[in-house]
Structure formats: structure tokens, C-alpha cells
Amino acid sequence: MASVETVKVEPSADLENEEEVKFVWGRKRGIGGKRKEVQFYESFTYDDVEYALYDCVYMHKEGQLPYIGKIIKIWENPDKSRKIKVHWFFRPSEILYHLKGVEVAAENEIFLASGEGTGLANVNPLEAIAGKCNVVCTSEDNRNPQPSEEEVKLADFVFYRAFDVGKCSILDKMDDKVGGLDVKYVFNRKESQKASHVLKHASDQNGDKNTVEYQATTKESFGLKALNDLGTSKASHLDGKIDVDAQSSLVRQDALQRETNVSRVNKETTKKANSAPGEQNSDDVSRVPKAAGKLSHIVGKSDVNVQTSPVRQDRLHRDANDSGVKQQSTMKGNPAPVQIVNSTATTVVQNTISEENARCKIKNEKDDKKVNKPPINLVEAGETGKSPKDLGVLEDRPSKRIKVNGSVTLSEDKGVNSVEKSTVCRNGKKVLGTSAVPSEERKKSVDSKLSGGLDKNMKIRKDSAALDSRPSKKANIDARKVQEDRDKSNMLGKCADNLGKLPKLSTGTSPKEVERTEGKSFEVTRRPVAESSKWFKAPPWEEVMQTANEQGALILLENLNPEYTSGEVEDIIWHACRENCTTKMVQRTAFSSPYSGRALVAFKTREGAERVTKKLADGCLMVSSQRPLVASFVSLPKTEGNASSLAGHLCVDKLRLQLQREMREAVSTSHCSQPNTIEYEMANEWRLLQARSDSWWNRLYKQQKEDLTKIASGLKRK
Amino acid sequence: MEEYAAFEDKVKRTIYIDNLSPLAKESVLRAALDQFGNVIQVKFIRSYLEMKGMACAALIEMQSAKEAKTIISEIRNSPFMISGMPRPARACSAVAEMFDDRPRKPGRKIVCRWLKTSDPDFEVAMKMKLIIRKHAKEANFLLKRQLEEEEELAKEQSESLNAIYSKYELIEDVTKSGTAIRLAKRYKMRIADVDR
């Protein structure tokens, strides 16, 4: 029989108003204690959440991430204090040392405590509960009801291993009793007790809205996790513009924020009827799935059925803002809060690609129908304080060149301020005269991509104009296209020469040569090595490269399979063009494309280089059927004379001389930084930047890969 | 085949480390990582297409994969500074493609084909080529932006560092020259930890 008592709990200091926290005992279990004064229970309802024996809960820990535990005993003492005994789970971070060499299966894996000793279980006051936690056991033990994929995905945490607190070791198998706890309470309990049906709010994962999941279960999971992510496209939601038809969704904030009250507040603001587990509870679990573009939005608005005092909400909001503000100050006005506590690269996702997009947006006002990414990105653009003239090449992602079907965008430079970069996009089919272009609907601003930013604009336009007037033969068009491309890819502005030469070469010769070798596929084997080179060792690559560079016989090949070796590339060139060369695959670095490899190819003569380039440009050499090779002349950027120090390596100006002397003499000047120094904080800023750049690159390459795969799908022969 | 297996083993034992200063030479790197284990080889990565101001990268081969993993996790957990502060170095496991002297992968066949202009794939391929060029430029741009951001951060930090140092100097000055003590006497205040 349930005894119903409503007890007034003393409000903690943090709550401004005196609040009653609702508490109701559930089913009684038995009496215990020396004098039969202790009453055990099976369940209770605290703050409108029902907790039962063997449920998993968060236990509030000051200033830290909450502990996770399983309730194994509930009772009330004669002095009316309520206690629970909690059997602990360990987060990997708590037992890192003992996890050395052990693979942690999932990001949210935890370990059940087992064995004997401190850390197995504790008695705690019931009020220390910070919320319910959804822990799913994924052990393949046949005593464990296997969870569905959905359940695993939706779980707050998973576990299948135990940690012996006495021996400090990881156990894979569960015995009949784990740390005194009967194994059947370790595994997932039968479904009859759980009514977990999940309603997913339909939303665009990649887009602007967040994915809010409502879990209406008797075990409601609060998941006030500390997962702050930098979002951008969703930065706008800071204003609470979420179109979610329920409520104030509290985003994961870090533990600084957490108080038991907070969870209580949450509950109260949204609950309609706590006794209807089957309904869609306007639960404020807003779990932004990690896969989607992350964000931490702080929304203080709740649209539906707000029964509770707005005061609380505001407070929540304010708190949220506070923590946000606090953290913001370190982030240069980034609109979204940053979590510094657990910044791993996976959780910090900075969307700076959108910055560029935004900037491009600013640039291309007259531009197209395709909205690049939501305009919210302007927020980001503003943040970095770059003037619109710092324009990106990353214009209008969706306005991919490929989509320009049948429209040539050869308009003149329409006074877009300081356009250093623009791209020519042409489709081989049509060629319109320069002046006729304005009639095109999809008019983009000029797009001839220039990397050097010289007056190439003039040159290109002139060329284009000149070229335009020729009869539009397909091969020629391609050749022209290629020329322009080739020009653009010249990094140091040596294009003047090329411009002069190439138009001549392109006419006439290309169609024939291409036809001769086209159509057949051939396997690339080791090329026959010329006799002479067997006699003496080849000079080191650097020399070869430099010589070729000076002669203008250095080519950059792109879109190779990054796994190829230099030798293989040489073979390819040999078989395809019957030219000898020396190649070096560009080594992969932290920010080189994982899909497209590049190689520097040095020829002995400039003519050889030109021949190959032309061939590859006019025709299409498909390597392994999905990769047309792209070749372009390149000249190496001039390297600095002295190695100067790296940006970010600072020294105090006044001490500079002294330091430099020391540096020169010291052989080893490296160390790990300690947390209480300025350099530590600064170092963390750098790591943040590093993590951000990583994420930029990842996004860029992901996007690029998608672009390519999309086009490649148009290939008939795969 | 064996050669490749040996190479793969080497890859597992190697770390890729970047955000290095051009001033960090092999000896420095060796000394830096000696505490973690036996450094077999240090090779710098040069792509020759580097821009001005880019950080350097190197491949460091250790004696065992375990050592390599240790280093990576250490560097990840706490900022490790080599040849200058406060910008920390960054490390991750090496990948085969980072090695410039890698052997050919056994069993790999490369098949090439020149496309006929009449082939419908020709068009597609040409488009692909364009895209690739575009991508290259995008990457270039991103790199530049990254460099800019890095420089900006460096500048900021430099300023704040200098400011902090001036404050420090000021305080030191005041205490050393006895001004602080005199002032304290005048205002009848106590100063803690003054040399007596």
C-alpha cells in the first residue's frame, strides 16, 4: 500500500523562492533495523519523477560531472531522513589509469562496480539524486535481454563490463553476483516494466533545427549532460526561435550549472501529467545527437502549457546564459558557449566553413536562388570581423559549378569589391559571347578563380573574349577551359608565358592525339627503366625538383588515389603518355585530403611536361575508372631564407635577446606544461584553435567528397 | 609482401607530429621524445608547396607501438611544448600515406583508360576535373585562413603576455626599490612577505 505523504523539503540556498519539492513514497517493502524502526520501500516519486529499485540515476556531485549509480536500497529512518544505497558505475574518465591498453567501446560506455572495497556502493541522502539515467546493458550474456539498436542509440550510457574496485581491473564476464548485486538486477529488466516509446521530433539533422527527442518512459532520462558544442547554423536559436512544439529545452550545460533544483525545475516547467507515461511528455530532454551538426542553444522559451512560474524558467535561462557568458568571454564573442572541460575534438565542432560561406554570401548579394546555408552564418562572419572584401573561394557551395548547365557565366566583373578570387565556370556545351551573358538567368559574378590576385582579371577576360569568338568545337572549348584553369592554378603568376603559348597549341593537335589512344584501358605495370638510368644513381628528389622548377617542367597531378606510391605514379605517366619522369607523392599531413592524392611530377624538359599536361587536360585519363587525373603546371613557392620561428611561439619582448641566446644553446627546450601557468592557458587556446581547424578540414573534405561522388555517379562505366 | 608487412609495422610505431616550429630540429625532437621511449628515426615532412608561416610536421618512428601510443595520449592530454611556448605540438598516429618512401602495396593493380571524346563519360569526367581544381583552391584558401587565424591568436597572446610581463615588472620594481615598504609605512599598512 502506498503511503502518501507530502513532505516539504527545505529549499537549498540556491533557489530563490521557497519551493516545495514534491515527494511521495511508493510501495512499502518491509521493516528493518535493530528496533524495527526503518521502513524500506520499493519506489518513490521525487519531484514528479518516479524512481524504483534498481533504476539508474545521476547523483549530484559538486563541481563535477554527476556520478551514475543504481539504486539498490531505499529507506526512511525514524528521523524522517530518506536514504538510498547506490551501487556505482564508473565513467571511463574516472578509471583512466586502469583503462590503459583497454579499448573503450563507445563514447558513452561505463563500467559497473564489482568486487569489494571502497567505491562499490554508498549510502546517500535521497535528495542527492540529480535525475534519472537511462543505462542499457549491452552485454551479450544470454541472461541479458538484448536491447534493440534503437534502445542502444537512445541510451544515455551503455555498459557490458565491470570494474573490480578491489583489484582495480576490468571484468568482461558477470558472475552471479556482481559486487553483491544479484546479476538479474544488473542486466536489462524485462520490458513489461518499461514503457519506453520514443517520439522523435522530425527535424532536419543537418539543418537549422535541432533534433529533440522525447522519451516518454517511466524511466525518464534527464541527460543533463555536459556536452557543449559550438554550433553556428543554429546559433540563431539562442534567441529561442525553436519551433519545437513543446518547451524549453535545456541544453546540456556543464556541471557548474547543475543543481538538483535545476532538474526539478525542468520537470516542473514541462510536465502535464506525470502519471501518463504513455503520452508524449513534454519532456525537456533535448538531446542533440552527436552526429548532427551540433549546437548548444539556450532556449528559454516554452510555448505550450507552461504551468509553472516564469520565474524559474528565467532563472534557468539566466543561469544558462551565465555559464554561456562566462565561457563566451574566452571565445571572442562566439555566440555559442564552449565547453572547456572536456574538449575533445569530437565534441568541439566549429563550423567555420560557414564563415566562408557567409562571407561569400556577403559578396554575392546578387547571387543565386540557392541559399547557401542559412543566413545565420552571418553571425559567424561578423564575429571574425573580416571585412567583406576578404572573399572566399568557397562561394556558394550549392551553386556548384556542375549545376550550371547550359549557362555560361562570363559576365564582367561587376565591381565586386576587390575580387581576388572568382571562378570561370563553363559548360562545354554552350559558349556565349561576353556581352550576351546578362540575359542568362543564373548570372553569377565572374568567376574566374585567381590565386594570385594580380591583374589576371584583365588577362583572363581578355582571353575569354578572344577565345569566345572561336568556333565552338568541343575539344577546343575544353582546351580553353583548361588553359584558363591552368592559368589560374599558377601560384606565382607565371601565367603570362603560358597564356601566350597555349592558344596556339590547343588548336588542331588535341583532337587527333586524344583519339589515337582513347577508349582502351590498359594496365599500369612497372615501366621499362631506361638503360642509362641503371648506370648511375638518380639525383635526389630535391635537386630534380628544383631543376624542373626552374625550367618550368614541374607539374602537379591531382586526384590520385592517396595510397599510390611515387613509383606507381611514374608508371602511370609512362603508360599513358610515354614520358619518363620523376615523381614524388605529396605526403599526407593533418590537413591534406584523405580522398584525393597529389603528386609533384618533374620532367627533364619543359616540352615533355607540356605534352603531358596537354594530354591530360584535353583528354580524360581515368585512373581506376573513377578518377580523372588533373594536371597543372606549378611552380614552387619561394621558401624563406632563414627558418623563422612559428607563429604562436612567443617570448616577452624585453626578454627576447636573453631568450634567444638560451634557445640557441639549448638542445632540448621542450616540456609539458603545468596547469597553473599562463602558458597552460594559452596552450589551451591553441589547442582549441587546432581542434577548430581540424573540424574545418573535416567538413571541407567531407563536402568535397560528396561533391565528387555526386558527379561520379553520373559515370556510366564504373 | 614481406617488405610491405614490415612497412605496416613501422607505420604502427610511428607518430605524426605537427604544429612544430621550423626551429625544432631533429636533435630537439629526439631529446623531447626520448623520455617516452626509444626514438629510432625522425623524418620531417616536406611538401614543397608549403606556404609561408606554416607549421612543420615530422614523422617519428619509435621502437614500439606502445611507446607511440603513450606519446600520443600524453601530448593529447597535456600541452607539450617543443622549442617554444605556448603553442603546443600536436600528435596523432601515422598513416601509410604520410610516408614518402613507402613500398608499393602488393596486389594493387592500376588500370587506366583514356576516354573517347564521344564517350558520355567524357563530359562527366571533365566536370570532375573542374571540381577537383575548385577543391584544390578551396583547400588552399582554407589553409590561408587557418594561417591567418593562427597569426591572430599569436598576436593576441603576445600582447597579453607583454602586458602581464609589464605588470610583473612593475610589481617587482616597486617591491625591490623599497617603494612599497615606504608607502606602507606612511599609510600604516602591513605588507605581507616582505624581506626582513
Side-chain angles (χ1 to χ4, degrees), chain A residues 31 65 135 143 154 184 288 301 317 345 355 382 403 443-444 456 462 465 500 512 548 581 642 652:
Chain A
I31 306 277
L65 284 175
V135 179
R143 295 170 287 182
L154 292 169
K184 69 170 182 264
V288 181
K301 214 160 66 149
H317 188 55
E355 270 181 45
K403 283 206 189 141
K443 186 164 62 155
K444 310 213 162 94
K456 289 190 202 159
K462 196 169 44 128
K512 284 194 231 133
C581 63
N642 306 327
V652 178

Side-chain angles (χ1 to χ4, degrees), chain A residues 626-637:
Chain A
Q626 286 259 28
R627 293 179 176 266
L629 280 195
V630 175
S632 47
F633 276 101
V634 71
S635 44
L636 304 176

Side-chain angles (χ1 to χ4, degrees), chain A residues 590-621:
Chain A
F591 42 80
S592 45
S593 167
Y595 318 111
S596 163
R598 313 199 298 173
L600 283 171
V601 184
F603 290 88
K604 290 226 169 49
T605 62
R606 189 183 161 84
E607 286 73 30
E610 281 176 12
R611 275 198 295 270
V612 173
T613 323
K614 208 168 60 57
K615 260 189 125 181
L616 285 173
D618 299 340
C620 281
L621 178 68

Side-chain angles (χ1 to χ4, degrees), chain A residues 394 449 519 522 524 542 564 587-588 616 619 622 624 647 650 654 671 686-687 694 697 716, chain B residues 48 76 81 85 87 90 97-98 102 104 110-114 121 129 134 138 146 157 169:
Chain A
L394 281 187
K449 271 196 197 165
F522 44 89
V524 173
E542 304 237 338
Y564 289 170
Q587 286 162 275
R588 175 151 166 204
L616 285 173
M622 297 293 266
S624 299
L650 310 172
K654 299 181 187 166
H671 64 285
W686 276 107
R687 295 169 102 206
D694 278 345
W697 288 106
K716 300 281 175 11
Chain B
Y48 309 109
R76 202 172 278 173
M81 300 169 190
M85 359 192 232
R87 183 164 172 183
R90 177 171 66 161
E97 295 116 23
M98 294 175 178
R102 54 184 182 269
R104 292 169 193 246
I110 308 179
V111 177
C112 301
R113 182 161 66 89
W114 283 106
D121 281 353
K129 291 209 282 189
K134 178 177 94 138
E138 288 171 358
Q146 182 177 327
Q157 288 190 338
E169 270 192 331

Side-chain angles (χ1 to χ4, degrees), chain A residues 47-95:
Chain A
D47 200 23
D48 293 329
V49 181
E50 191 181 336
Y51 299 87
L53 267 184
Y54 310 116
D55 278 352
C56 293
V57 291
Y58 287 109
M59 296 300 283
H60 177 59
K61 171 70 187 172
E62 183 73 40
Q64 284 183 31
L65 284 175
Y67 292 144
I68 306 161
K70 197 186 253 285
I71 305 178
I72 54 177
K73 251 194 205 145
I74 312 172
W75 70 95
E76 188 186 39
N77 284 325
D79 62 357
K80 299 289 184 215
S81 61
R82 310 178 198 119
K83 303 280 186 207
I84 50 170
K85 188 167 183 191
V86 182
H87 185 123
W88 298 117
F89 285 96
F90 290 100
R91 295 182 191 257
S93 52
E94 300 176 78
I95 48 170

